[in-house]
Amino acid sequence: MTGIDAIVFEPIGSLADMSADAAPGTPLHAYDDAAPALAELKSLGVTLIAVSNLPLPELTRFLTASGLSEFFDDTRSSASTTGDPTDALREALAATSIAPDRALYITDTSDGLRAARATGMHGILMMNDPDEAMKLTAHNPAGGIVSLLELPDFVRFVSARHDSPH
Amino acid sequence: MKKIAVYRPTTTDEAIRILSSHGSEAAVYAGGTDLLVRLKNRLTQAPAYLVDIKKINDLRYIKEDAGGGVRIGALTKLAEIVESDLIAQKYPMLARAIGMISSPELRNASTIGGDLLQEVWCQYLRGGYSCWRNGGYICYGAIGDNSYYHSAMGGRLCYAVYPGDAATALIPYDATVKLATASGVKELTLEQLVPGDMMVDGRIQSHVVRSNEILTEVVIPAPKPESRTSFEKLRPRGVWDFAMAALALNLHVRNAVVQDARVVFGGIAGRPVRERAVEEFLKGKSVTGDVITQAVALSLAGAAPLKYNAMKIEMAKGLLASGLDSLRT
């Protein structure tokens, strides 16, 4: 990684938890650290994008209700295109003119990591569940975070490591 | 082992010049008990250029200063500190803490500077995993076995525990260190020296020393005449092992009342944890059973254990209870 211009989130899992046994229509609640982390990322000049397999109205409703919509430069649903998250990621990067290798994709699934790799992005594991995360490291994520609050440090560190003279 | 070049400067200035020319590819080589292990483990982050400072003559001493304090050169062996009558007389808690580091053989080789600035001993880093400290962007300790080498007090990017007992024991004495830098001498408190995960010269490390700076001296102020100290450490075995939890106490007591206190935990976080809430609570009180109970309840409010290390917090609280009990007024 040489620098990070954009971060793409799959909101379910990386911005909000949805338990496997939740009833359909159960409202999503954003993690407590989502708003402060996104605000700090914006202050660093990072482009923020939400790409989800939720239908767009539902995604928009979640981001608005959580007070997160103001942070996002682009919001997209794979459900309204081909259904393949890879296509939605490519479209989002094209729409914001971001080079894939300058973007992180935050995900907590193996499909998400595969989609990131297919688009040339850096797939970053959201390590909500330690045991599940340990299994997912077999899919060679480019990195991992435990808390969204680590992302601003992540951005700074990539920049510092790249700028370091040696 | 990766191919390395070794320099042997004879002055601090010469060493700084060499370090400056190689940036973070170079590292200071003194006792070698940490650095050589990193090289043998073939870590990506291990240096390619070693600047062996053992030929610098004026960095190995223990001497009393005019104010009744003590100055320890950074190349002083841990064993020499443990065996020093001056240290035993003025800072018995420091002598005890350093006497509990690792094994006699390693204390004969390790230097005080190296102990303060040692790399973390996380099994994932030392095992060559591509983690934050080793060229990667993930902390395996946060999701894997974090029962021993990882923080129970939260983390930033890396969740490894800072392993140095000397820093934990020096903070209660209000010790400072001196760094030789290209622009002169820099002086820091021990807390400033090891604040936990820091980005320094494009690396994550526990301390703030830049790649072209050299820790030269530890300065300990004169001890207060009515101070009571203790150091305790819990570890899997009685020698060799790092702390699961450690506690250094220094209470300044007059007429059975605590005037000032230093309470510092080791082995539970990415840095020595100074427990200021307990320090403030103890001031103006006698150390009684009730006070100990309340102090323990108050301690480590910011604990954030990982999946397998909540017992570190229980151990630390237990050490606080037993440590204060041993210093009852």
Side-chain angles (χ1 to χ4, degrees):
Chain A
M1 290 185 214
T2 55
I4 298 166
D5 297 332
I7 301 180
V8 183
F9 295 86
E10 161 53 84
I12 299 174
S14 61
L15 293 176
D17 201 9
M18 177 181 263
S19 70
D21 52 359
T26 304
L28 289 168
H29 293 288
Y31 298 132
D32 291 345
D33 54 5
L38 297 180
E40 194 175 348
L41 288 167
K42 287 308 287 181
S43 75
L44 293 173
V46 179
T47 298
L48 301 179
I49 302 167
V51 172
S52 177
N53 57 7
L54 288 174
L56 197 55
E58 209 173 314
L59 173 61
T60 306
R61 199 160 42 243
F62 158 67
L63 293 175
T64 305
S66 313
L68 302 180
S69 57
E70 62 177 293
F71 299 117
F72 286 94
D73 300 280
D74 194 71
T75 304
R76 232 158 252 275
S77 168
S78 57
S80 56
T81 56
T82 62
D84 182 346
T86 311
D87 294 334
L89 288 174
R90 283 202 181 102
E91 283 179 17
L93 292 175
T96 50
S97 303
I98 300 288
D101 66 348
R102 307 273 301 179
L104 306 182
Y105 180 44
I106 314 297
T107 177
D108 67 345
T109 66
S110 54
D111 284 346
L113 292 173
R114 268 192 291 273
R117 196 168 298 115
T119 54
M121 299 169 70
H122 305 287
I124 305 298
L125 258 186
M126 181 71 204
M127 304 190 293
N128 300 314
D129 175 333
D131 296 336
E132 186 62 22
M134 206 54 172
K135 287 179 201 158
L136 287 170
T137 59
H139 294 269
N140 295 319
I145 55 167
V146 176
S147 157
L148 291 168
L149 290 172
E150 291 178 11
L151 281 173
D153 275 340
F154 197 127
V155 172
R156 282 188 279 262
F157 182 63
V158 169
S159 172
R161 184 178 271 178
H162 180 64
D163 293 343
S164 178
H166 294 275
Chain B
M1 212 156 106
K2 99 195 228 185
K3 221 170 181 182
I4 50 167
V6 182
Y7 291 94
R8 292 201 166 84
T10 53
T11 67
T12 308
D13 286 346
E14 187 188 354
I16 288 172
R17 272 198 301 276
I18 297 165
L19 288 166
S20 297
S21 69
H22 291 296
S24 54
E25 284 289 296
V28 169
Y29 168 35
T33 54
D34 166 23
L35 184 64
L36 297 185
V37 176
R38 282 192 275 145
L39 283 163
K40 282 181 185 171
N41 289 351
R42 301 169 191 271
L43 300 193
T44 306
Q45 52 107 281
Y49 302 93
L50 305 191
V51 181
D52 181 350
I53 61 170
K54 291 194 289 294
K55 299 282 179 198
I56 301 176
N57 285 327
D58 55 355
L59 293 179
R60 188 172 174 183
Y61 54 82
I62 300 173
K63 60 189 179 192
E64 190 166 15
D65 64 24
V70 166
R71 292 167 184 268
I72 305 174
L75 286 182
T76 306
K77 305 290 184 187
L78 297 182
E80 291 166 344
I81 297 172
V82 175
E83 290 158 10
S84 161
D85 291 339
L86 189 60
I87 298 293
Q89 176 213 330
K90 286 178 173 278
Y91 315 104
M93 184 265 283
L94 178 65
R96 176 174 166 77
I98 293 181
M100 293 170 81
I101 291 173
S102 193
S103 64
E105 294 84 352
L106 284 169
R107 289 196 294 274
N108 281 331
S110 304
T111 63
I112 184 67
D115 188 81
L116 292 171
L117 304 184
Q118 67 187 293
E119 180 56 281
V120 299
W121 289 85
C122 163
Q123 71 271 32
Y124 298 103
L125 167 67
R126 299 282 174 167
Y129 282 66
S130 182
C131 68
W132 287 106
R133 291 183 186 241
N134 197 34
Y137 298 93
I138 190 169
C139 175
Y140 290 94
I143 53 174
D145 178 358
N146 42 50
S147 57
Y148 187 8
Y149 293 110
H150 297 91
S151 171
M153 297 292 292
R156 201 167 156 196
L157 295 171
C158 164
Y159 283 74
V161 153
Y162 170 72
D165 291 332
T168 303
L170 282 164
I171 290 171
Y173 288 119
D174 296 333
T176 57
V177 294
K178 287 187 177 170
L179 306 180
T181 78
S183 53
V185 175
K186 201 191 274 185
E187 199 165 332
L188 301 171
T189 66
L190 258 296
E191 283 177 279
Q192 290 168 332
L193 179 72
V194 279
D197 293 344
M198 295 297 294
M199 293 179 206
V200 180
D201 293 336
R203 307 167 67 124
I204 288 186
Q205 54 187 46
S206 308
H207 59 80
V208 297
V209 181
R210 300 193 62 180
S211 55
N212 63 347
E213 297 176 339
I214 299 175
L215 193 155
T216 55
E217 187 177 59
V218 177
V219 181
I220 319 177
K224 291 175 181 164
E226 294 158 309
S227 66
R228 302 178 185 194
T229 59
S230 91
F231 181 87
E232 296 298 336
K233 167 171 162 177
L234 291 173
R235 49 185 165 171
R237 294 171 294 183
V239 292
W240 191 277
D241 288 331
F242 293 95
M244 296 285 290
L247 173 70
L249 290 175
N250 187 356
L251 305 185
H252 180 214
V253 179
R254 190 180 301 147
N255 299 326
V257 174
V258 176
Q259 307 296 311
D260 200 5
R262 296 287 182 276
V263 178
V264 183
F265 290 104
I268 61 169
R271 65 188 192 290
V273 176
R274 187 165 163 194
E275 184 46 281
R276 283 189 164 79
V278 173
E279 290 177 1
E280 284 305 312
F281 171 75
L282 291 172
K283 281 184 201 170
K285 296 186 177 69
S286 295
V287 182
T288 62
D290 276 354
V291 165
I292 293 172
T293 304
Q294 289 177 67
V296 170
L298 194 62
S299 64
L300 302 174
L306 296 167
K307 186 171 182 182
Y308 300 109
N309 68 7
M311 75 288 193
K312 274 180 175 273
I313 298 301
E314 295 308 309
M315 288 176 173
K317 283 175 173 276
L319 288 177
L320 180 60
S322 59
L324 286 174
D325 193 54
S326 73
L327 303 181
R328 265 177 192 261
T329 54

